[in-house]
Amino acid sequence: MIEEVSNYLNQIRHDFTKAALDEDSVKETPLEQYAAWFEEAVGSQVLDPKAMVVSTVDKEGKPSSRVVYSRGLKKNSILFYTNYLSKKGHDLEANNYACINIFWAELERQVRFEGRVFRVSEEESDAYFRSRPRDSQIGAWASEQSSEIPNREILKERVKLFEAKFENQDVPRPPHWGGYYIEVSRAEFWQGRPARLHDRVVYELDENKWKLTRLAP
Ligand SMILES: Cc1cc2nc3c(=O)[nH]c(=O)nc-3n(C[C@H](O)[C@H](O)[C@H](O)COP(=O)(O)O)c2cc1C
């Protein structure tokens, strides 16, 4: 099985032909460019356009990555919500630098962001938590994200426990659950092109101004 897949992996080739990316026509800021590409992703029926891989590094320098949902944009930052006591939460306490990678295969596009990560305000986390469906709110209490559990049953028991606890009342936000925003200081937009001559446009913050460069593919 491994050998067959390995052979297959060696045989498939894909040429990228859908679009081009030019440093003269990109938006002024990386978040504006992301917003423009995001709208195109939605319009092109990309399956899950808000999904993005966030990579963190732990205190021993070991990286790890996972998918989260992009849940908001600000002038220069991008938001996601999670459990502050999760693996990624602990990593970010030790090292608040992270990067994001998004691959929109249908558009032959990749976006990369790097920057420092900060918690969003309690008020902002409360407001977003209130907007979530009740079962997701209960789930945030029931699941001690990234901790080892003996079986699935324990989750169901904890859901019942918190359903009873918050019966006939709004579910408050758990103190260990909330948002992070990545304040982007470097971004790269990648557009696949024929013959592996892809377009790569980089934004870097230089004295509060975005400097644009092009990288070899
Ligand atoms: C499509 C998709 C979206 C996800 N969105 C989130 C999210 O917004 N927040 C979150 O904490 N985990 C989300 N997850 C789960 C994470 O990938 C991960 O399993 C979890 O956050 C624990 O990661 P950690 O142990 O590295 O902290 C999502 C997973 C997938 C596949």
Side-chain angles (χ1 to χ4, degrees):
M1 179 84 153
I2 289 187
E3 205 181 319
E4 277 166 37
V5 171
S6 183
N7 288 338
Y8 175 74
L9 290 172
N10 273 327
Q11 281 157 21
I12 38 174
R13 296 265 177 271
H14 175 85
D15 218 16
F16 298 99
T17 54
K18 291 208 163 126
L21 180 68
D22 190 334
E23 56 271 52
D24 297 326
S25 58
V26 294
K27 305 278 182 201
E28 243 170 68
T29 76
L31 270 295
E32 285 169 11
Q33 182 62 32
Y34 169 80
W37 272 19
F38 185 87
E39 291 219 311
E40 284 183 48
V42 172
S44 312
Q45 264 91 57
V46 167
L47 192 57
D48 209 350
K50 58 194 187 306
M52 55 189 200
V53 174
V54 173
S55 301
T56 54
V57 173
D58 72 11
K59 58 179 187 308
E60 283 152 19
K62 291 190 197 147
S64 67
S65 301
R66 77 288 293 157
V67 178
V68 299
Y69 278 141
S70 163
R71 288 293 183 196
L73 303 181
K74 297 198 173 173
K75 188 169 166 245
N76 283 328
S77 42
I78 183 158
L79 266 71
F80 66 93
Y81 283 86
T82 193
N83 186 315
Y84 291 139
L85 302 177
S86 64
K87 157 85 174 128
K88 72 185 93 47
H90 287 301
D91 285 3
L92 289 169
E93 290 308 311
N95 176 348
N96 81 332
Y97 218 80
C99 54
I100 290 177
N101 189 287
I102 301 154
F103 176 44
W104 288 318
E106 296 86 339
L107 294 172
E108 303 175 343
R109 284 173 174 169
Q110 173 181 226
V111 181
R112 295 166 65 176
F113 291 124
E114 293 172 19
R116 292 215 172 274
V117 179
F118 303 91
R119 288 188 185 192
V120 307
S121 69
E122 304 264 314
E123 296 72 27
E124 229 174 315
S125 288
D126 285 341
Y128 176 68
F129 191 78
R130 276 196 297 275
S131 77
R132 304 183 87 208
R134 191 175 172 92
D135 59 355
S136 306
Q137 294 176 332
I138 295 284
W141 282 98
S143 164
E144 292 176 337
Q145 195 179 54
S146 313
S147 68
E148 197 176 315
I149 50 172
N151 51 46
R152 192 173 172 81
E153 290 313 303
I154 196 102
L155 285 178
K156 293 187 189 161
E157 282 165 27
R158 284 178 62 83
V159 165
K160 274 198 200 132
L161 182 90
F162 286 104
E163 271 169 354
K165 183 171 164 134
F166 299 122
E167 201 181 0
N168 298 326
Q169 66 174 90
D170 288 343
V171 181
R173 176 178 62 86
H176 55 266
W177 190 97
Y180 283 113
Y181 63 92
I182 301 198
E183 202 171 82
V184 176
S185 51
R186 186 176 196 278
E188 179 189 323
F189 292 82
W190 183 100
Q191 177 73 60
R193 299 295 308 274
R196 299 291 179 266
L197 299 180
H198 314 302
D199 289 326
R200 299 179 64 190
V201 175
V202 171
Y203 291 78
E204 263 168 314
L205 210 49
D206 184 21
E207 292 181 0
N208 277 331
K209 280 221 163 106
W210 287 107
K211 193 178 87 171
L212 284 176
T213 46
R214 172 178 281 268
L215 298 183

